[in-house]
Amino acid sequence: MQYLRCRFSMLLLIGFFFISCFQKKSHQNNIPHAETVVLELDVNDKKDVRLSDLCDSIGCILFELTEGSEMSFINKIIEYDQKYYVRTTHQMQNGRLLVFDLEGNFLYPIGKRGQGPGEYRDIKDFDINEKGEIIISDGIKVIKYDHNGNYMLENRPVPVYELIENSGKVIGLRNHMNDNASNLLIIMNDRLEVINELFSFDKKDFVRVNHYVNYNNLSSNNDTLYFSFPFHDLIYYLSDDSIHSAFFMHFGSKRLPESIFTAGDNYKQISQKIEKIGNFRTRVSFYITDSFIYWRSRDKDYNGYVYFYNRNTKKILAGHGFIDDLCFGLLSFRLKAKNLPINFSEESLLWAVSASFLIDQYNQIGQQEKEQLASKYPHIAGIIKELDEESNPVVFKMKIKNF
């Protein structure tokens, strides 16, 4: 864990050299050079984040395991109206959307697999609007359900792999680009009708979307939409259909060179180019709240890194893992890209971990640490004692402090 330097600047030569080059070459939108927050990152730092430096409080939820609620991997969680809406997949496929109460009791699923109205082939992403209506994308169509999960309407073809509701509109990220479909953003109205498309790509950048999928490239805060895309370290925001640069994750010498992307390259060709270069860092996903920006990155070997930027103090906590000095007595959790914390709920980080992982961590600590855990966090200790290898994942809810 380390406080890293960050600063606001319109004149930072290196940062804006990268930004302006990408704006000129990669799309046709006239993006103004507004004041951009450039976050300078110490990419050589592999220290861990102490949970006591990051969290005000920590709790956990065990989602009930019963018929219809089995979960292999949790991809996305939204806490809304005293419920948890959970997208779960098996090996990133066969997505389902399950609803639980705040105690983790299973309530009901949303929709079902199929080809008919209100049915989906898969669930790529979902969001909930201010009316409590649930919007799902299966990669081909977008479906809307009411707050109880009853089918309302759908529209196809809408080829988006990620979506978000913002100011009464639904914004999706296109899942495949070509000469006739080169805009990243697809804008839909409340009826899920496409009303606009924005952010045109050049051919050399089609490969970023056509062959790589990073989720959590959309975030909404106070009706402002933020977005990015794979292998790109600049986050944009949308205002009245005008696109502006917002935040630049400056990985310095570890930044992935733009020159590896060539028009017409396929997945294999890009992968071979990446394999030949040195180690690098690239942003994987992000989330923006009133107080914090949280983003995840990975390196060439798929090691994971977390960054928490405090928008009030301008400080950053960053690390290659977590040191748990709150629950398990200074155990260190090293992160890989596949087990990075993904979700936020307001100002709390939601981290889904497997039951087998928690059982292993608990077995590593001594009797004294187990007694301290039971005394300080009886709810967490009680949940861990109930676990077996077949249990659903456990979600830790960590309230981020004003560091």
Side-chain angles (χ1 to χ4, degrees), residues 277-371:
I277 66 175
N279 209 344
F280 62 86
R281 297 278 181 89
T282 185
R283 182 200 54 78
V284 176
S285 65
F286 71 94
Y287 193 92
I288 296 176
T289 75
D290 287 340
S291 302
F292 304 102
I293 302 172
Y294 166 63
W295 72 100
R296 309 177 299 154
S297 75
R298 72 166 178 90
D299 61 20
K300 183 177 179 178
D301 298 321
Y302 287 88
N303 294 305
Y305 304 85
V306 292
Y307 306 84
F308 299 86
Y309 170 63
N310 188 318
R311 301 178 74 176
N312 300 312
T313 65
K314 310 299 185 287
K315 294 178 179 178
I316 294 178
L317 288 177
H320 180 34
F322 293 114
I323 293 178
D324 180 9
D325 54 351
L326 294 179
C327 296
F328 292 104
L330 297 179
L331 288 180
S332 179
F333 306 146
R334 308 302 290 181
L335 295 173
K336 301 290 286 185
K338 65 180 180 180
N339 67 1
L340 284 165
I342 300 174
N343 300 277
F344 250 83
S345 177
E346 296 182 347
E347 305 295 343
S348 294
L349 181 67
L350 302 177
W351 186 19
V353 298
S354 68
S356 59
F357 174 82
L358 275 183
I359 292 170
D360 179 66
Q361 297 300 314
Y362 186 74
N363 289 337
Q364 289 186 42
I365 63 176
Q367 185 59 37
Q368 183 176 354
E369 286 79 9
K370 290 177 180 177
E371 293 173 358

